[in-house]
Structure formats: C-alpha cells, structure tokens
C-alpha cells in the first residue's frame, strides 16, 4: 500500500485588489455590480483567499468603504485601503497598507477581472523564482489592422504581441521601489510597465481567456456565460383537505367548485409543492421554514408570493429556473379545462417560456384520500441551474 503524495503547501503571498475605478464605460462602478448573484469584486477576493493569500488589501475610492463592506460581507482575511485619483496612486496606497517583508510575493489585481483561477495565481508566483515580475498574457489570435476614418490603413504584424492581464506578480520591495521611481506626470499602463522601466525583468506566463476585463455593459453577459454551472433537481409534495366553499385555487388560478381547500394560506397545493421543489433544488429548507404557518401574516395569503420568494432566493444565488412540472392528484374538479390557464399563470410568475412549464393531473381511481374526496394532493419537480 502506498501513501498519497503530500500536497505542496500554497506559497505565502500577499495581494492587492484595486477596486477604486468609477467604471464609466461599463455604466457605473462595475466592481459592486452583481455577476451571477455575487458582487464583481467578491469573485477575485474569494479566489485570492482560496488560493492562499495571507494578506489581502482591497483598495476603494474614498466614500466607497460601506459598499465594499457590504460586497465582501462574511469573508475574513482582507482589509480596506483608500485609493487615490489615479490607478498608480491607488496601487501605491495598497502597497503602503500591505507593508513588507521585502521579498514577499505580491499580486496586484484589477477587480474588473473577476474570473480568476488558482492555476494562474500559482503560475505567477512560481515564475518569480526566475524573474523580478510576472504577468499573465494571451497571444493575439486575430489579425490586427490599423484604421483611419473607417478605412483600413495597413496591417499590424501580430507576431510577438500579447494581451496582458492581471494579476501581476512582484517581490514587494522591488515594486515599491519601481513605483517610487516612476515619474508622477506620466500615466503608467500597469505595474509590470513600471517595473520594466526600473530595469526589472518581467516574465510572461500563460493567461486565461476567462480573466476577461469587464469594460463594456455587454461584457457582463459574456462573463456570466463563462461561469461553470451545475444542474440541480428538486421535488415537492403537498396535500390539503376539502371543506365547504365555492371555489378553489390551483396553480395560481381560481376555479369555481362546490368545495374549497382548507389551509392557513389560500391552500394552493400546486403552488406549495412547486415552491418546495425550487427550495429543495437549492437545499434551502421548505416553505414552512420561510413562511411559518404559526405566523398570522400568512393567513389567507395568495400563494404566488411564496413562489416568488423562492425564485428571488434562487436569483440572489445567481441561479435560474430551467423547467417545472406539476402534477395535481384529485377526482374533482376536472383540471384539464384549466390546464392552459394554469401553465400561463405559472409561466408569468416564473418568467419561463410556456414549454418549460407543465401542469398535469391524475386521479387515483377512487383509491386513498384523494380517491375518497377527502383532499387534493400535488407533486412538483423543478430543474435549476446554479453557479458551480
Ligand atoms: Mg400547503
């Protein structure tokens, strides 16, 4: 029997996440916007902490501290620094907040590149053994043209050209000294350019297409599409007893009937089963946890609000519904004449296309509590997608 190889310890490193931009091209300060249910800045802070960052400073504009606290709530191992008017000033502020030791690797990252993987982080830190700095980059694949007035004015040789990304990695004292030597009046492209000007050798390591920078509003949709997702399924079941009445609510539709279903809310068993199916797919408890029947405010409540609540919980986690399938089990009333109205109502509440919403009905051939007309039962399945 052999023992598994020991897992190498994550290298000790510190990190600065620059989140001080105003992001005018992306329509507002993009670092606080939600990407798959999570603030943009939180994606890279989580990635750096998970990869083993031992000291992490998030640089924000003066006045944005509360927004940052909210965006990073519940995470530990990070602290705030206040940025300056320029990117260079913000980086200097982050470096000052961080402090030495001088040979410690420091990663400097743009919050606008949220999809940061551990492999890029490790490649960067490893490369500091052989260089003063390192940046991830991708070779330019498209052919390049210079243009003027909407007309092509010559080709640009792409050989040797790379698209630089962040994070960029440095030894602490080397980048502090290089920043101090940089002329204030001149805007710097990035910290690698600053180090290079100071005579440092900057190594290129393999970048990652998912490290795209969120620059324009449409970039958010592209980044969302790059996030790995998992399919989950949940099921729900509910039953209510028949009692005196003149109509019954089923799947959000009121049907005239010589009885009604008895319950604390409107007793819509179809909506209750479906709410439980969505909560079940998320591992988020059941309808009774979210709307206790002992709470008088839910007495007689329209059950569509329970369903809306479950969908809001799903959306807040960056998830979305794929399809739902409800089965109503009763001898009476006849469900078939109302099925289309029920599907349309559910599709409206859930913002799903009609073909992703199914309502079916069955009897139990006079057997059991539904067969004897004591009550109605409902079953539901919901398929969801969640960020993996
Ligand atoms: Mg119920």
């Amino acid at each position: 029997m052999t023992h598994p190889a020991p897992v190498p310890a994550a290298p000790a490193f510190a990190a600065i996440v620059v989140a001080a931009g105003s992001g005018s091209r992306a329509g507002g300060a993009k670092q606080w916007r939600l990407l798959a249910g999570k603030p943009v800045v939180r994606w890279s802070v989580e990635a750096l902490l998970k990869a083993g960052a031992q000291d992490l400073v998030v640089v924000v504009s003066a006045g944005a501290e509360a927004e940052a606290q909210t965006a990073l709530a519940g995470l530990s191992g990070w602290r705030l620094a206040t940025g300056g008017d320029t990117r260079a000033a913000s980086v200097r502020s982050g470096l000052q907040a961080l402090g030495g030791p001088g040979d410690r690797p420091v990663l400097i990252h743009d919050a606008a590149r949220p999809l940061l993987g551990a492999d890029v982080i490790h490649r960067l830190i490893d490369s500091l053994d052989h260089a003063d700095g390192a940046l991830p980059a991708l070779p330019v694949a498209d052919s390049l043209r210079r243009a003027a007035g909407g007309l092509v004015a010559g080709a640009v040789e792409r050989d040797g050209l790379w698209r630089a990304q962040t994070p960029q990695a440095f030894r602490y004292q080397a980048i502090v000294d290089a920043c101090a030597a940089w002329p204030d009046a001149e805007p710097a492209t990035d910290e690698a350019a600053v180090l290079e000007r100071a005579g440092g050798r900057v190594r290129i390591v393999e970048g990652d297409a998912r490290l795209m920078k969120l620059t324009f509003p449409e970039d958010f949709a592209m980044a969302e599409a790059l996030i790995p997702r998992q399919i989950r399924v949940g099921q729900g079941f509910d039953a209510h007893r028949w009692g005196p009445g003149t109509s019954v609510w089923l799947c959000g539709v009121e049907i005239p009937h010589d009885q009604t279903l008895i319950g604390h809310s409107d007793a819509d068993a179809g909506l209750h089963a479906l709410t439980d199916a969505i909560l079940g797919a998320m591992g988020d408890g059941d309808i009774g946890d979210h709307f206790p029947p002992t709470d008088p405010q839910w007495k007689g409540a329209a059950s569509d609000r329970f369903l809306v609540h479950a969908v809001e919980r799903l959306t807040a986690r960056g998830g979305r519904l794929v399809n739902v399938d409800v089965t109503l089990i009763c001898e009476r009333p006849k469900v078939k004449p109302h099925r289309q109205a029920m599907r349309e109502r559910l599709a409206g509440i859930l913002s799903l296309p009609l073909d992703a919403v199914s309502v079916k009905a069955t009897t139990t051939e006079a057997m059991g509590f539904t067969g004897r007309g004591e009550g109605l039962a409902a079953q539901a399945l919901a398929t969801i997608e969640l960020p993996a």
Side-chain angles (χ1 to χ4, degrees), residues 194-252:
V194 170
L195 185 77
E196 217 186 322
R197 176 77 65 88
R201 289 170 314 135
V202 179
R203 186 171 284 264
I204 283 181
V205 306
E206 185 190 343
D208 186 339
R210 288 167 296 188
L211 259 178
M212 60 178 285
K213 185 174 186 179
L214 301 176
T215 306
F216 303 103
E218 57 270 28
D219 293 342
F220 277 78
M222 199 183 293
E224 291 247 3
L226 292 173
I227 294 168
R229 288 172 183 273
Q230 56 183 202
I231 293 281
R232 300 226 196 148
V233 175
Q235 65 99 27
F237 176 83
D238 193 30
H240 283 268
R241 185 181 294 278
W242 288 114
T246 56
S247 70
V248 59
W249 285 92
L250 289 171
C251 292

Side-chain angles (χ1 to χ4, degrees), residues 283-357:
D284 194 14
D286 65 22
I287 193 170
D289 294 331
H290 295 267
F291 301 96
T294 49
D295 188 336
Q297 67 170 309
W298 311 125
K299 188 165 171 55
S303 296
D304 52 358
R305 68 166 302 169
F306 304 152
L307 188 57
V308 167
H309 175 78
V311 173
E312 283 170 356
R313 305 270 300 181
L314 177 61
T315 307
R317 282 175 56 179
R320 58 177 170 246
L321 266 179
V322 178
N323 76 302
V324 299
D325 185 10
V326 181
T327 302
L328 300 173
I329 306 164
C330 59
E331 303 291 324
R332 294 189 323 117
K334 286 287 171 228
V335 171
K336 198 170 180 180
H338 308 284
R339 263 171 66 178
Q340 190 63 10
M342 291 176 181
R343 289 178 69 205
E344 284 169 6
R345 178 81 180 108
L346 291 179
I349 298 171
L350 301 170
S351 302
L352 281 177
L354 202 55
D355 74 347
V357 177

Side-chain angles (χ1 to χ4, degrees), residues 18-368:
V18 182
S22 61
S24 49
R25 278 187 297 181
K30 58 199 165 192
Q31 60 270 37
W32 317 125
R33 276 184 57 182
L34 296 183
L35 178 70
K38 207 190 286 186
V40 165
V41 65
R42 191 180 179 103
W43 282 89
S44 37
V45 168
E46 282 185 356
L48 287 160
L49 291 172
K50 198 172 163 193
Q54 290 175 339
D55 198 358
L56 197 159
V57 170
V58 180
V59 185
V60 301
S61 306
E65 292 84 358
E67 249 168 329
Q69 295 285 357
T70 304
L72 300 173
L75 296 178
S76 55
W78 61 277
R79 55 209 161 87
L80 282 180
T82 305
D85 291 339
T86 62
R87 185 198 152 78
S90 294
V91 168
R92 274 201 300 271
S93 163
L95 287 167
Q96 203 171 5
L98 214 48
D103 63 345
R104 175 159 71 162
V106 177
L107 264 53
I108 301 177
H109 185 52
D110 289 339
R113 297 183 188 270
L115 303 183
L116 172 58
D119 45 356
V120 171
I121 294 173
H122 291 141
R123 282 198 286 276
L124 286 164
I125 293 169
D126 289 348
S127 71
L128 286 184
D129 291 344
H130 315 288
D132 306 306
L135 63 80
L138 294 171
V140 174
D142 297 318
S143 65
L144 297 176
R145 292 291 187 282
R146 205 176 295 284
L151 290 174
V152 172
V156 176
E157 184 55 56
R158 72 173 176 227
D159 279 358
L161 291 187
W162 293 76
R163 295 191 288 134
Q165 302 179 316
T166 74
Q168 300 182 350
F170 311 94
R171 299 273 172 203
Y172 178 77
Q173 198 58 50
I175 191 62
V176 167
D177 293 345
C179 286
W182 183 268
D184 268 343
E186 192 180 334
T189 308
D190 55 20
E191 290 67 51
V194 170
L195 185 77
E196 217 186 322
R197 176 77 65 88
R201 289 170 314 135
V202 179
R203 186 171 284 264
I204 283 181
V205 306
E206 185 190 343
D208 186 339
R210 288 167 296 188
L211 259 178
M212 60 178 285
K213 185 174 186 179
L214 301 176
T215 306
F216 303 103
E218 57 270 28
D219 293 342
F220 277 78
M222 199 183 293
E224 291 247 3
L226 292 173
I227 294 168
R229 288 172 183 273
Q230 56 183 202
I231 293 281
R232 300 226 196 148
V233 175
Q235 65 99 27
F237 176 83
D238 193 30
H240 283 268
R241 185 181 294 278
W242 288 114
T246 56
S247 70
V248 59
W249 285 92
L250 289 171
C251 292
V253 173
E254 190 175 24
I255 299 172
H257 190 49
D258 55 10
Q259 284 184 301
T260 194
L261 291 171
I262 306 301
H264 188 69
S265 65
D266 66 8
D268 188 329
L271 291 189
H272 294 181
L274 187 50
T275 302
D276 264 355
I278 295 169
L279 292 172
M282 283 189 283
D284 194 14
D286 65 22
I287 193 170
D289 294 331
H290 295 267
F291 301 96
T294 49
D295 188 336
Q297 67 170 309
W298 311 125
K299 188 165 171 55
S303 296
D304 52 358
R305 68 166 302 169
F306 304 152
L307 188 57
V308 167
H309 175 78
V311 173
E312 283 170 356
R313 305 270 300 181
L314 177 61
T315 307
R317 282 175 56 179
R320 58 177 170 246
L321 266 179
V322 178
N323 76 302
V324 299
D325 185 10
V326 181
T327 302
L328 300 173
I329 306 164
C330 59
E331 303 291 324
R332 294 189 323 117
K334 286 287 171 228
V335 171
K336 198 170 180 180
H338 308 284
R339 263 171 66 178
Q340 190 63 10
M342 291 176 181
R343 289 178 69 205
E344 284 169 6
R345 178 81 180 108
L346 291 179
I349 298 171
L350 301 170
S351 302
L352 281 177
L354 202 55
D355 74 347
V357 177
S358 162
V359 174
K360 311 194 297 302
T362 186
T363 71
T364 49
E365 304 213 325
M367 296 178 289

